Amino acid sequence: MQISEGFELSVDQHVATLRINRPEKRNALSAAMWRALPALLAPLADDPAVRVLVLTGAAGTFCSGADISEIAELAGNGDESGDDTGATVAAERALAEFPKPVIAMIEGFCVGGGCQLALACDLRLAAEGARFGITPAKLGIVYPPSSTRRLTAAVGPSTAKFLLFSAELIGADRALRTGLVDEVLPAAELSERVYGLARTLAGRSQLTVAAAKEIVDGRADEARFLLWQKEAREEVTEGVAAFLERRPPRFTWTGPGRGGQSDMTS
């Protein structure tokens, strides 16, 4: 189902799939697509029926970055200067702050803004033939600070500098060794693995998952942790009972709203 120019959305068994669908441009995002992404994510964040999001691309390509013909327009929004107010950074931030697990399913090219989006996801699974690159040095663009920090956190300073300085593409094996991706699979097995993992995450305690994401991402202080513990009482009771009774747990916490906030007044 097309929900916006260049994107398709479907939901099945608590797993939403947001597909970049601009194959004639190798799924390069137009300026309008970058601007539209936060608004596309917002209702998914608030929908309790959605527990996991898969981000992928159509026709065997994840995303080849920003549409080069519109770079000037994107730069005019602050991206060229490194100002974190640009359209690409706003889209990246909306994806990174999505309160539920996000899996990037990567085939083909994942370059420039494509890597920017992939790194904003929680997990990245790639096909063996995937190719990765961070290419602003080819265009004289200063990569945004938030994007640079996220890249460095994933791969370390040396690999981040190599990718940013050289703008060279690397293969999936090197991406796996450096931490740019979490798993590499044969192309024919990628979808089955991604959606199997997504269904597994959807079946876990959504409170545990949401709390873990906040804590790992550095968005939860000690007071927030204590609130999560208070909220977890019923989940723990059900989890322990299910373990002792050797049955699947029936967790009832339905998940956080947008921005990772949940009703913790009880």
Side-chain angles (χ1 to χ4, degrees):
M1 170 175 75
Q2 184 139 348
I3 54 171
S4 177
E5 182 178 353
F7 292 102
E8 290 182 349
L9 174 68
S10 60
V11 181
D12 182 47
Q13 299 183 48
H14 298 297
V15 178
T17 299
L18 185 61
R19 189 179 309 277
I20 304 167
N21 186 28
R22 205 181 179 212
E24 72 281 4
K25 292 280 191 176
R26 286 187 174 178
N27 295 332
L29 269 66
S30 66
M33 290 169 68
W34 284 107
R35 288 193 294 267
L37 190 56
L40 297 180
L41 294 173
L44 301 176
D46 287 334
D47 187 350
V50 173
R51 298 180 180 178
V52 181
L53 173 64
V54 174
L55 179 68
T56 191
T61 294
F62 182 72
C63 175
S64 61
D67 190 329
I68 297 297
S69 67
E70 300 187 36
I71 285 293
E73 181 177 349
L74 289 167
N77 280 325
D79 294 85
E80 185 177 39
S81 67
D83 183 343
D84 276 13
T85 61
T88 66
V89 171
E92 172 194 352
R93 183 180 297 130
L95 193 58
E97 294 179 357
F98 192 79
K100 304 163 189 182
V102 184
I103 304 173
M105 182 167 69
I106 301 166
E107 298 176 278
F109 288 101
C110 179
V111 179
C115 261
Q116 190 176 357
L117 292 177
L119 283 161
C121 298
D122 299 297
L123 301 171
R124 291 167 293 282
L125 278 67
E128 287 176 340
R131 301 280 286 169
F132 300 83
I134 312 286
T135 55
K138 286 187 174 182
L139 300 170
I141 293 171
V142 178
Y143 208 50
S146 62
S147 308
T148 302
R149 287 191 290 268
R150 190 167 284 113
L151 170 66
T152 305
V155 303
S158 181
T159 298
K161 289 174 182 178
F162 172 82
L163 292 169
L164 288 164
F165 294 176
S166 71
E168 290 185 0
L169 301 188
I170 63 172
D173 287 346
R174 184 169 181 179
L176 180 63
R177 291 197 305 271
T178 60
L180 189 58
V181 299
D182 299 292
E183 293 183 18
V184 173
L185 300 103
E189 299 175 13
L190 180 63
S191 181
E192 181 179 358
R193 170 57 177 153
V194 167
Y195 285 101
L197 177 60
R199 287 190 293 271
T200 294
L201 301 184
R204 302 304 190 207
S205 166
Q206 295 305 290
L207 184 145
T208 300
V209 170
K213 179 163 180 170
E214 277 199 23
I215 293 168
V216 171
D217 289 350
R219 294 186 286 115
D221 57 14
E222 187 66 21
R224 184 70 169 161
F225 169 68
L226 294 175
L227 287 172
W228 280 119
Q229 281 194 314
K230 181 180 178 181
E231 188 81 351
R233 290 170 185 167
E234 290 185 10
E235 296 283 279
V236 172
T237 299
E238 169 58 19
V240 171
F243 178 81
L244 294 175
E245 296 167 14
R246 299 186 178 183
R247 60 170 174 81
R250 295 184 289 271
F251 295 118
T252 58
W253 197 82
T254 57
R258 184 165 60 248
Q261 302 300 313
S262 62
D263 183 2
M264 292 187 170
T265 57
S266 59

Short mmCIF file of all heavy atoms in Angstrom, two decimals, residues 61-109:
data_model
loop_
_atom_site.label_atom_id
_atom_site.label_comp_id
_atom_site.label_asym_id
_atom_site.label_seq_id
_atom_site.Cartn_x
_atom_site.Cartn_y
_atom_site.Cartn_z
N THR A 61 17.55 -2.99 -3.83
CA THR A 61 18.44 -1.91 -3.39
C THR A 61 17.85 -1.28 -2.14
O THR A 61 16.66 -0.96 -2.10
CB THR A 61 18.60 -0.84 -4.47
OG1 THR A 61 19.27 -1.40 -5.60
CG2 THR A 61 19.41 0.35 -3.97
N PHE A 62 18.69 -1.07 -1.12
CA PHE A 62 18.21 -0.42 0.10
C PHE A 62 17.98 1.06 -0.17
O PHE A 62 16.84 1.52 -0.24
CB PHE A 62 19.21 -0.62 1.23
CG PHE A 62 18.77 -0.03 2.54
CD1 PHE A 62 17.74 -0.61 3.27
CD2 PHE A 62 19.36 1.12 3.03
CE1 PHE A 62 17.32 -0.06 4.48
CE2 PHE A 62 18.95 1.68 4.23
CZ PHE A 62 17.93 1.09 4.96
N CYS A 63 19.05 1.82 -0.35
CA CYS A 63 18.93 3.25 -0.64
C CYS A 63 20.28 3.76 -1.09
O CYS A 63 21.28 3.55 -0.40
CB CYS A 63 18.45 4.00 0.60
SG CYS A 63 18.38 5.80 0.42
N SER A 64 20.30 4.45 -2.20
CA SER A 64 21.56 4.98 -2.73
C SER A 64 21.83 6.40 -2.25
O SER A 64 22.74 7.06 -2.75
CB SER A 64 21.55 4.94 -4.26
OG SER A 64 20.50 5.73 -4.79
N GLY A 65 21.07 6.86 -1.27
CA GLY A 65 21.33 8.16 -0.66
C GLY A 65 20.32 9.22 -1.02
O GLY A 65 19.18 8.92 -1.39
N ALA A 66 20.75 10.45 -0.91
CA ALA A 66 19.90 11.58 -1.30
C ALA A 66 19.99 11.75 -2.81
O ALA A 66 21.01 11.48 -3.43
CB ALA A 66 20.35 12.85 -0.60
N ASP A 67 18.89 12.20 -3.41
CA ASP A 67 18.86 12.47 -4.84
C ASP A 67 19.84 13.61 -5.15
O ASP A 67 19.68 14.73 -4.68
CB ASP A 67 17.44 12.86 -5.25
CG ASP A 67 17.25 12.92 -6.76
OD1 ASP A 67 18.22 13.25 -7.46
OD2 ASP A 67 16.13 12.65 -7.22
N ILE A 68 20.89 13.27 -5.93
CA ILE A 68 21.94 14.25 -6.21
C ILE A 68 21.38 15.52 -6.86
O ILE A 68 21.87 16.63 -6.62
CB ILE A 68 23.02 13.63 -7.12
CG1 ILE A 68 23.71 12.46 -6.40
CG2 ILE A 68 24.06 14.67 -7.53
CD1 ILE A 68 24.45 12.85 -5.16
N SER A 69 20.33 15.36 -7.66
CA SER A 69 19.77 16.53 -8.34
C SER A 69 19.12 17.51 -7.37
O SER A 69 18.84 18.65 -7.73
CB SER A 69 18.74 16.10 -9.38
OG SER A 69 17.60 15.52 -8.76
N GLU A 70 18.90 17.07 -6.11
CA GLU A 70 18.26 17.94 -5.11
C GLU A 70 19.17 18.24 -3.94
O GLU A 70 18.71 18.72 -2.90
CB GLU A 70 16.96 17.28 -4.63
CG GLU A 70 15.96 17.06 -5.75
CD GLU A 70 14.62 16.56 -5.24
OE1 GLU A 70 14.20 16.98 -4.15
OE2 GLU A 70 13.99 15.75 -5.94
N ILE A 71 20.47 17.94 -4.07
CA ILE A 71 21.41 18.19 -2.99
C ILE A 71 21.41 19.65 -2.58
O ILE A 71 21.47 19.99 -1.40
CB ILE A 71 22.84 17.76 -3.40
CG1 ILE A 71 22.95 16.22 -3.36
CG2 ILE A 71 23.89 18.38 -2.49
CD1 ILE A 71 22.85 15.62 -1.98
N ALA A 72 21.32 20.56 -3.54
CA ALA A 72 21.33 21.99 -3.21
C ALA A 72 20.16 22.36 -2.32
O ALA A 72 20.30 23.15 -1.39
CB ALA A 72 21.31 22.83 -4.49
N GLU A 73 19.00 21.78 -2.61
CA GLU A 73 17.82 22.06 -1.78
C GLU A 73 18.01 21.53 -0.37
O GLU A 73 17.68 22.19 0.61
CB GLU A 73 16.56 21.45 -2.41
CG GLU A 73 15.29 21.72 -1.62
CD GLU A 73 14.04 21.16 -2.29
OE1 GLU A 73 14.13 20.76 -3.46
OE2 GLU A 73 13.00 21.13 -1.62
N LEU A 74 18.56 20.31 -0.26
CA LEU A 74 18.80 19.74 1.06
C LEU A 74 19.85 20.55 1.81
O LEU A 74 19.73 20.81 3.01
CB LEU A 74 19.26 18.28 0.93
CG LEU A 74 18.16 17.31 0.50
CD1 LEU A 74 18.77 15.97 0.10
CD2 LEU A 74 17.15 17.11 1.62
N ALA A 75 20.91 20.96 1.10
CA ALA A 75 21.95 21.77 1.73
C ALA A 75 21.39 23.10 2.22
O ALA A 75 21.80 23.62 3.24
CB ALA A 75 23.09 22.01 0.76
N GLY A 76 20.41 23.61 1.51
CA GLY A 76 19.79 24.87 1.92
C GLY A 76 19.04 24.76 3.22
O GLY A 76 18.77 25.74 3.88
N ASN A 77 18.73 23.51 3.63
CA ASN A 77 18.07 23.28 4.92
C ASN A 77 19.08 23.09 6.04
O ASN A 77 18.70 22.74 7.16
CB ASN A 77 17.18 22.03 4.84
CG ASN A 77 15.86 22.33 4.17
OD1 ASN A 77 15.32 23.41 4.33
ND2 ASN A 77 15.35 21.37 3.42
N GLY A 78 20.35 23.26 5.75
CA GLY A 78 21.34 23.20 6.82
C GLY A 78 22.24 22.00 6.78
O GLY A 78 23.21 21.94 7.51
N ASP A 79 21.96 21.01 5.92
CA ASP A 79 22.75 19.79 5.94
C ASP A 79 24.19 20.01 5.50
O ASP A 79 25.11 19.41 6.02
CB ASP A 79 22.09 18.72 5.07
CG ASP A 79 20.75 18.29 5.63
OD1 ASP A 79 19.77 18.98 5.32
OD2 ASP A 79 20.70 17.31 6.38
N GLU A 80 24.42 20.88 4.52
CA GLU A 80 25.77 21.07 4.00
C GLU A 80 26.69 21.65 5.07
O GLU A 80 27.86 21.30 5.16
CB GLU A 80 25.73 21.99 2.79
CG GLU A 80 27.09 22.13 2.11
CD GLU A 80 27.01 22.99 0.87
OE1 GLU A 80 26.27 23.99 0.90
OE2 GLU A 80 27.69 22.67 -0.11
N SER A 81 26.19 22.51 5.90
CA SER A 81 27.01 23.15 6.91
C SER A 81 27.23 22.27 8.12
O SER A 81 28.03 22.59 8.99
CB SER A 81 26.34 24.46 7.36
OG SER A 81 25.14 24.16 8.06
N GLY A 82 26.54 21.16 8.21
CA GLY A 82 26.63 20.32 9.40
C GLY A 82 25.62 20.71 10.47
O GLY A 82 25.58 20.12 11.53
N ASP A 83 24.83 21.73 10.21
CA ASP A 83 23.79 22.15 11.15
C ASP A 83 22.76 21.03 11.27
O ASP A 83 22.24 20.55 10.28
CB ASP A 83 23.12 23.42 10.60
CG ASP A 83 22.08 23.99 11.55
OD1 ASP A 83 21.61 23.27 12.45
OD2 ASP A 83 21.73 25.15 11.36
N ASP A 84 22.46 20.61 12.51
CA ASP A 84 21.55 19.50 12.71
C ASP A 84 20.09 19.90 12.58
O ASP A 84 19.22 19.35 13.26
CB ASP A 84 21.80 18.87 14.09
CG ASP A 84 22.95 17.87 14.03
OD1 ASP A 84 23.68 17.85 13.04
OD2 ASP A 84 23.10 17.12 14.98
N THR A 85 19.78 20.84 11.74
CA THR A 85 18.39 21.23 11.54
C THR A 85 17.89 20.82 10.16
O THR A 85 16.76 21.12 9.80
CB THR A 85 18.23 22.76 11.68
OG1 THR A 85 19.04 23.40 10.68
CG2 THR A 85 18.66 23.23 13.05
N GLY A 86 18.71 20.15 9.35
CA GLY A 86 18.34 19.83 7.99
C GLY A 86 17.33 18.72 7.89
O GLY A 86 17.05 17.98 8.83
N ALA A 87 16.77 18.58 6.68
CA ALA A 87 15.74 17.58 6.44
C ALA A 87 16.26 16.17 6.64
O ALA A 87 15.56 15.30 7.18
CB ALA A 87 15.18 17.75 5.02
N THR A 88 17.50 15.90 6.21
CA THR A 88 18.02 14.54 6.37
C THR A 88 18.24 14.21 7.83
O THR A 88 17.99 13.10 8.28
CB THR A 88 19.34 14.36 5.58
OG1 THR A 88 20.36 15.17 6.14
CG2 THR A 88 19.15 14.68 4.11
N VAL A 89 18.71 15.19 8.59
CA VAL A 89 18.94 14.96 10.02
C VAL A 89 17.63 14.78 10.77
O VAL A 89 17.51 13.95 11.67
CB VAL A 89 19.77 16.10 10.63
CG1 VAL A 89 19.85 15.99 12.16
CG2 VAL A 89 21.18 16.08 10.06
N ALA A 90 16.60 15.55 10.39
CA ALA A 90 15.29 15.39 11.03
C ALA A 90 14.73 14.00 10.77
O ALA A 90 14.16 13.37 11.67
CB ALA A 90 14.33 16.46 10.51
N ALA A 91 14.92 13.49 9.56
CA ALA A 91 14.46 12.14 9.24
C ALA A 91 15.25 11.10 10.02
O ALA A 91 14.69 10.14 10.57
CB ALA A 91 14.58 11.88 7.74
N GLU A 92 16.56 11.28 10.06
CA GLU A 92 17.43 10.37 10.82
C GLU A 92 17.03 10.35 12.29
O GLU A 92 16.93 9.30 12.92
CB GLU A 92 18.87 10.83 10.67
CG GLU A 92 19.87 10.10 11.55
CD GLU A 92 21.21 10.81 11.63
OE1 GLU A 92 21.42 11.79 10.88
OE2 GLU A 92 22.03 10.39 12.44
N ARG A 93 16.80 11.53 12.86
CA ARG A 93 16.44 11.63 14.27
C ARG A 93 15.11 10.94 14.55
O ARG A 93 14.96 10.24 15.55
CB ARG A 93 16.39 13.09 14.69
CG ARG A 93 16.09 13.30 16.18
CD ARG A 93 16.06 14.77 16.52
NE ARG A 93 17.35 15.39 16.29
CZ ARG A 93 17.53 16.51 15.60
NH1 ARG A 93 16.51 17.14 15.05
NH2 ARG A 93 18.74 17.01 15.45
N ALA A 94 14.13 11.13 13.66
CA ALA A 94 12.83 10.50 13.85
C ALA A 94 12.95 8.98 13.84
O ALA A 94 12.28 8.28 14.61
CB ALA A 94 11.86 10.96 12.76
N LEU A 95 13.82 8.47 12.99
CA LEU A 95 14.03 7.03 12.93
C LEU A 95 14.77 6.53 14.17
O LEU A 95 14.40 5.51 14.77
CB LEU A 95 14.81 6.69 11.66
CG LEU A 95 14.88 5.23 11.24
CD1 LEU A 95 13.49 4.63 11.03
CD2 LEU A 95 15.71 5.10 9.96
N ALA A 96 15.81 7.24 14.58
CA ALA A 96 16.59 6.83 15.75
C ALA A 96 15.76 6.88 17.02
O ALA A 96 15.96 6.07 17.94
CB ALA A 96 17.82 7.72 15.89
N GLU A 97 14.83 7.83 17.11
CA GLU A 97 14.01 7.98 18.32
C GLU A 97 12.71 7.22 18.25
O GLU A 97 11.89 7.30 19.18
CB GLU A 97 13.75 9.47 18.56
CG GLU A 97 15.02 10.25 18.88
CD GLU A 97 14.79 11.73 19.08
OE1 GLU A 97 13.63 12.19 18.92
OE2 GLU A 97 15.77 12.44 19.40
N PHE A 98 12.49 6.46 17.19
CA PHE A 98 11.30 5.61 17.11
C PHE A 98 11.32 4.68 18.32
O PHE A 98 12.33 4.03 18.60
CB PHE A 98 11.34 4.80 15.81
CG PHE A 98 10.05 4.11 15.48
CD1 PHE A 98 8.99 4.81 14.93
CD2 PHE A 98 9.90 2.75 15.71
CE1 PHE A 98 7.80 4.18 14.61
CE2 PHE A 98 8.72 2.10 15.39
CZ PHE A 98 7.65 2.82 14.84
N PRO A 99 10.23 4.58 19.09
CA PRO A 99 10.29 3.93 20.40
C PRO A 99 10.26 2.40 20.37
O PRO A 99 10.30 1.77 21.42
CB PRO A 99 9.05 4.48 21.11
CG PRO A 99 8.09 4.75 20.00
CD PRO A 99 8.93 5.23 18.85
N LYS A 100 10.21 1.81 19.19
CA LYS A 100 10.14 0.36 19.06
C LYS A 100 11.32 -0.12 18.22
O LYS A 100 11.95 0.68 17.51
CB LYS A 100 8.81 -0.04 18.42
CG LYS A 100 7.61 0.51 19.20
CD LYS A 100 6.33 0.49 18.39
CE LYS A 100 5.22 1.24 19.12
NZ LYS A 100 3.94 1.21 18.39
N PRO A 101 11.65 -1.40 18.27
CA PRO A 101 12.80 -1.88 17.50
C PRO A 101 12.63 -1.62 16.00
O PRO A 101 11.57 -1.85 15.44
CB PRO A 101 12.82 -3.38 17.80
CG PRO A 101 12.12 -3.52 19.10
CD PRO A 101 11.07 -2.47 19.11
N VAL A 102 13.72 -1.17 15.38
CA VAL A 102 13.75 -0.93 13.95
C VAL A 102 14.88 -1.77 13.35
O VAL A 102 16.02 -1.68 13.79
CB VAL A 102 13.97 0.56 13.61
CG1 VAL A 102 13.90 0.77 12.09
CG2 VAL A 102 12.95 1.44 14.32
N ILE A 103 14.54 -2.58 12.35
CA ILE A 103 15.51 -3.42 11.67
C ILE A 103 15.68 -2.93 10.25
O ILE A 103 14.69 -2.80 9.51
CB ILE A 103 15.06 -4.90 11.65
CG1 ILE A 103 14.79 -5.42 13.07
CG2 ILE A 103 16.10 -5.77 10.94
CD1 ILE A 103 14.17 -6.82 13.10
N ALA A 104 16.91 -2.66 9.85
CA ALA A 104 17.20 -2.33 8.46
C ALA A 104 17.49 -3.64 7.71
O ALA A 104 18.39 -4.39 8.11
CB ALA A 104 18.38 -1.40 8.36
N MET A 105 16.72 -3.92 6.66
CA MET A 105 16.94 -5.09 5.82
C MET A 105 17.60 -4.58 4.54
O MET A 105 16.95 -3.91 3.72
CB MET A 105 15.63 -5.82 5.52
CG MET A 105 15.82 -7.07 4.68
SD MET A 105 14.34 -8.13 4.62
CE MET A 105 13.22 -7.12 3.66
N ILE A 106 18.88 -4.89 4.37
CA ILE A 106 19.70 -4.20 3.37
C ILE A 106 20.12 -5.14 2.25
O ILE A 106 20.76 -6.18 2.49
CB ILE A 106 20.96 -3.61 4.04
CG1 ILE A 106 20.56 -2.63 5.15
CG2 ILE A 106 21.84 -2.93 3.00
CD1 ILE A 106 21.70 -2.25 6.07
N GLU A 107 19.75 -4.76 1.05
CA GLU A 107 20.22 -5.42 -0.17
C GLU A 107 20.84 -4.36 -1.06
O GLU A 107 20.46 -3.19 -1.01
CB GLU A 107 19.07 -6.09 -0.92
CG GLU A 107 18.36 -7.19 -0.16
CD GLU A 107 17.18 -7.73 -0.94
OE1 GLU A 107 16.10 -7.10 -0.88
OE2 GLU A 107 17.34 -8.76 -1.62
N GLY A 108 21.75 -4.77 -1.92
CA GLY A 108 22.29 -3.84 -2.91
C GLY A 108 23.02 -2.68 -2.27
O GLY A 108 23.76 -2.84 -1.30
N PHE A 109 22.78 -1.48 -2.81
CA PHE A 109 23.51 -0.30 -2.35
C PHE A 109 22.88 0.30 -1.09
O PHE A 109 21.67 0.49 -1.01
CB PHE A 109 23.58 0.75 -3.45
CG PHE A 109 24.49 0.37 -4.58
CD1 PHE A 109 23.97 -0.14 -5.76
CD2 PHE A 109 25.86 0.51 -4.46
CE1 PHE A 109 24.81 -0.50 -6.81
CE2 PHE A 109 26.71 0.16 -5.50
CZ PHE A 109 26.19 -0.35 -6.68
#
